[in-house]
Amino acid sequence: MDRPGTAVTRAFSWSLPLLSGGIFGALSTLATVGDPDLFWHLAQGRQTLTDGLARVDTFSWSVNGLPVLTDQWLGQVLWYEAYAALGWNGIIVLRAVLVAAIVTLIVATALHAQRRPIVAAMAALPAIALTRFAWTERPQLMGLCCFAVLIFLLRMSAERPRVLIAAPALILVWANLHASFALGLAVTAIACAELWLRRPDARRVAVGVVAACIAVTLLTPSGISIWTSASGHFLSPPRVIQEEGVPDVTQPYGFLFAFIVLAVLVTAQLSRPAGLRDVALLVPVLFVSMTAARHTPFFAVASAPYLAAHAPAAIGAIAAHFRINVRLPDFAPRVPSPRIDVATLVVALAAIVGAGLVARGEPNLTAYPAGALSSLPPGPGVVNDYDWGGFLIWYAPATPVFIDGRLFPYTGDALRDYETLVSLGPTWRDVLARRGARALLVKPGSPLAVRARDLGWSIVTESASYVLFIVPNSR
Amino acid sequence: MATAPRPLAANLSASAYPLAVAGAAFIIAVGLPSTDSDTYWQLAMGRWMLDHHAFLRQDIFSSTVAGMHFGVGEWLGQLAFAGSFTAAGWAGVAVLRATLIALAAFFVVRLARRGGAAWWISLPLVAAALLVSKITWTDRPQLFTLALFPALLDLLLSLPVGFSRRLLILPPLFLVWTNLHGGYLLGLAVVAIFAAEGVLTKGRRGLPLVLTAIACVAVTFLNPAPLELAGAAREDFLNPPRFLTEFLPPDVVTPAGALFAGFVLLVIGSALLRGGSLLEAMLLAPLLYLAFTAQRQMLFFCFAATAFLGARLTALVPRWRGYELPAPVRLPIAVVLVIAALASALAAPTHPDERAYPAAALDALREEHGVLLNEYDWGGYLIFNLPERPVFIDGRYVPYLGGVLDDYRALVSLRPGWRDLLDKYKVSELLLRPERPLAVALREDGWRVRSTDSAGRWIVLARP
C-alpha cells in the first residue's frame, strides 16, 4: 500500500463535500423537532428581538430577577428568526443547513488531506456519524459548525499561514453563538504556537492571530464574564445532565467515540510519524472530548483529516502481516470544474431547503406534558420537572417555571431545592412550604409523585408520562 | 543465544529501582486501613470455607436469595484474605494488600524501564500508573490481578523469540490466577494477543507461545466454577453496573481520571510523533477500550502503556537519556526502602476504618429478628459483623441480578409499587441513609426510629 502525503492539494473540488453535505443535510430533516432546550432558546431569542437582551431571568419564579447568561444570544436570535420566517419548518431548514455545513467541512478537510475521494469519504464517515448525536436545534450545533470551520482553516494554514487571518472573525461570531468558542480559541492558540515553532517567517501572523482572537472574545454582551461561564462549564460539568455525563462506551455515541479514538491510536502506531501539527490539533481536543458526552464530536471532527491521510498506511501495515498486498488504485482523480461545484452547491441547497420545507414541522411533543397545559394554574407556584422547563416557557408563558434547561441561573439554592423535592429529601415539605409551591407537574415514577399519590394529594390531570398535583393547603 | 548468569550484585543493581519503588509502595499501602465494603463479605466467605473445609456454593448470608447457587470462582483469593485475617487480624489483611501492591509496583517499574527508559521519565509514569490503580487498592481478590497483570506483561515482553523455559511458568500461573480472581480472563486475552502477534510477525517461531496459550486456557478449567467467573466478567464488561462508582466510566475531572487521560494523550501524542509497533497497537487498543468501560479497568491500560511510553518519551529527549543515578546511590536507597517497608509492616492498622459504616447501629439491630432492608453499601459489613441478621442485599451483586436488585432500587427510591415490595419481602426493619426517599416516607408514615446516627449517616426504622 502506498503512503499518501499529509496534504496533496494540487487541485481541490468542493463537489464531493457539497454532495455529502446535501445528502446528510436532507436526511437530517427526517428527524422531528423536539429538543428540550430548543424551546427556551426560542423564547430567549424572541425576547432579545422584541425587548432587547435580557440580563436577568423573566421566565421562572424561583430565580426571577436574578442574572442569566447571555453567551448564546446570537444563536438564539438566529433560531428564532428561522422560526419566525418559516415556522417549525424554518427550524428544520436551519438545522439541515448547519448539518450540511458540518458534513461538507468534515469531508472537505478529509479530502484536503487525502486526494482519493472514496478514502476521504470513508475516513469522514465515523466523524459524521458521531456528530449525528449533536444534530439538535440549539446554538451548540452552530458551535460545532464553527469548530469544523476552524479545523478546516487550521489544516489549510499548515501550508498557507495567512489563512489564519480569518480565525479572529470566526472566533468573534462563535463567541456570540455558543460557549464552545473557548475550545476554538485554545486550539487556535496551540496551532499558532506550532506554527511559530515551525515557520519563523510566520511568527508575526501567529502572534497577531492569537492576540486578535483573544481580543474579539470580549466583543460580546457578556464582556469578560463570558470566560467564567465557559470555564465553569468545562471544569465542573454538571454530570446530572445526561449530555454532560462522562462518555459511556455502552451507549451508541460512546462506542463510536471509542472506535474513533482507537482508530487514531492504531493508526498512530502503525503509520509513519505525523507532524507536530497533528499532535497540536488532536491531543488537546481529545482531552476536551473526554470530559463530557456532548464534547465527543469535537475529536471526531478533528481526527477525520488525520485518519484520511494516515489510516490507509496503517491498514496496509496490518494487511502486510497477513501477507495481503493491499494497494490503493494509483490514479489521478479528475477534479470537476468550478461550474460543477456551483451546480452541486445549488442542488444540495435545493435538496436541503426542499426537504426541510416538506418535512413534518410540528414538534414531537410525546416527551412533554402537552395534555396538562390547559390545566396549569397561571402565576408562580408550579414545581415542574427539569426536562419540561423549556417546553413550559414556550407553551405556557403564563405559568413561570421552577427550573429549566438553562441550569446555570439555578445553581445554588434553587437547584438544591429542586433536587430535594424530586428526590424526596428529608426536608421536602419544608422546601414546598418555604417556596410557596401550589402545584407539582412531575413524572409519575418520581419519588415526589409517588409520595404525593400516597398522601392522597389531589390530581388535576395525569397520563402515563406526567401527573399534575395540587399541593394541599397552598396559597 | 544463551546469556551468562549475572552476579548477585549486578542483579541487585538492576533491580534497585523496582525494589525501591516496591518498598515505597508497600510503606504507603500498609498504612491504609481497610475501608471497602466488599472486604467483609469476602472475608466471611473465606472464613466459612476455612471453618468448614468446603467450598461455599450457595448463599447463606441473605434473606432474599438464601440457598441460591453462588459462584465460588475466587475461592483461593478469599481464602488468602481470610487466612491473613485469621493469622494477624486486620494487620494481616493490610500486609497482604501491601505485598500485592508492592509486587505490582515492582513489575510496573520493570515495564516502565524497558528499552532503556531514563529513571526520571519512568518514575513519574510509574507513580501516575499506581495512583490510577489506587481505586482498586481494596482488600479483595482483585488485588491479585493487580499484581499478576504487570508480572505477566513483564514476562511476556521479556520472552525471547521461539521456545523458552520461561513459557512453562505461564500455565501454573494461570492455574493459580483462575482460582484467585476473575481477572485471569484479561490475562488470557493478553497472552492470546502476544501469541497472535508472534505468529503474525515471527511465523512458526511464534508457535510455542500459541501452544502455551492453549495450555493456559485449558488449565483455567481447573476451577470449581470455571464458567461462572467468565459469565460475571462478561456481564461486567457488556453491562457494567453503573450505580457502583468503580463501574462508572472514567471521569477526567477526577484526579485518577485526569491521570488516565494523561496516559491516553501521552500514548497517542508520542505515537503520532514517533510511531509504534504492531504489538503496542494490538495490546493497547483493547486495553483502552476496556478502560473506557469502567474506572476500575483504567489501570490495565496505564500499566501496559508504561511499557512503551518510558522508552519512547526517553527517545524524544535524547540529550538527557544517559543520566542515571550511580549504583552506589541507588542500591543503598533501595535497601533502606525495603528495610523500612519490612519495618512498616509492624505498624499496619489493626482496625478497619468503619466511619462509613453503621457500626453504632449493630446493637439495636441485634435486638430484632425480622427481615432487614439494608443499604447496598453496608451489606458486606453486616454479613461480617452481624451474621445473625441476614442481609437484603450486599456487594456480591451477581446473585441479586434479575429481581432483588431491581426491587431494592425500586424500594429505596420510592418507585411505584414500593409498598407491595415491602410486603412481598416482609420487611420489618430497615437500615438506610436518612435521605433515602423510602426512609423519609416511612418516617412520615410512623415507622419507629429505633436508632439514628448523630451525624445523619444512617437510621434504623422498624414497623410501627
Side-chain angles (χ1 to χ4, degrees), chain A residues 239 246 248 269 274 428 451 454, chain B residues 242 250-251 272 276 444-445:
Chain A
R239 298 287 190 217
V246 183
D248 184 349
Q269 304 282 355
W428 72 282
R451 188 63 185 152
D454 278 350
Chain B
R242 295 289 192 218
D251 186 346
L272 284 167
E444 288 181 357
D445 285 356

Side-chain angles (χ1 to χ4, degrees), chain A residues 234-235 237 239 246-250 255 257-258 261-262 264-266 268-276 278-279 282-283 286-287 290-291 306 318 321-323 423-426 428-429 444-447 450-451 454-455, chain B residues 200-201 203 237-238 240 242 249-253 258 260-261 264-265 267-269 271-278 280-281 284-286 288-289 292-293 301 312 413-416 418-419 434-437 440-441 444-445:
Chain A
F234 176 70
L235 297 173
R239 298 287 190 217
V246 183
D248 184 349
V249 295
T250 62
F255 180 80
F257 172 64
V261 175
L262 298 188
V264 171
L265 172 69
V266 171
Q269 304 282 355
L270 298 180
S271 64
R272 64 185 164 70
L276 198 56
D278 282 308
V279 180
L282 292 178
V283 170
L286 175 57
F287 180 76
M290 288 170 73
T291 60
Y306 171 75
I318 294 169
H321 286 296
F322 289 96
R323 313 284 189 272
S423 64
L424 207 76
W428 72 282
R429 286 180 187 271
S446 71
V450 171
R451 188 63 185 152
D454 278 350
L455 295 171
Chain B
L200 283 173
T201 58
F237 178 69
L238 295 177
R242 295 289 192 218
D251 186 346
V252 300
V253 300
F260 164 69
V264 176
L265 301 184
V267 165
I268 290 182
L272 284 167
L273 290 173
R274 306 289 298 192
S277 65
L278 181 65
E280 186 178 346
L284 293 188
L288 180 55
Y289 185 82
F292 279 143
T293 63
F301 173 78
R312 198 152 64 218
S413 306
L414 211 74
R415 303 245 176 86
W418 66 276
R419 284 188 191 278
E435 67 272 17
R436 288 283 194 189
V440 173
E444 288 181 357
D445 285 356

Side-chain angles (χ1 to χ4, degrees), chain B residues 30-120:
Chain B
V30 82
L32 302 172
S34 278
T35 56
D36 190 66
S37 171
D38 290 345
T39 300
Y40 295 100
W41 64 259
Q42 301 272 13
L43 283 177
M45 289 188 71
R47 192 165 59 183
W48 188 96
M49 287 187 278
L50 282 176
D51 291 346
H52 295 80
H53 302 288
F55 293 124
L56 179 53
R57 291 182 180 275
Q58 61 185 31
D59 172 64
I60 57 166
F61 300 127
S62 83
S63 62
T64 48
V65 294
M68 182 185 283
H69 180 76
F70 179 60
V72 294
E74 299 180 352
W75 67 275
L76 190 54
Q78 290 162 343
L79 279 186
F81 274 100
S84 303
F85 183 80
T86 304
W90 288 104
V93 172
V95 169
L96 176 58
R97 173 214 312 145
T99 304
L100 292 169
I101 291 169
L103 270 174
F106 180 87
F107 286 108
V108 173
V109 176
R110 284 178 57 90
L111 290 172
R113 295 275 291 165
R114 280 183 69 249
W119 71 271
W120 53 272

Side-chain angles (χ1 to χ4, degrees), chain A residues 38-51:
Chain A
L38 164 67
F39 302 110
W40 64 260
H41 280 304
L42 282 182
Q44 281 206 329
R46 180 171 59 189
Q47 187 180 50
T48 304
L49 286 171
T50 54
D51 306 327

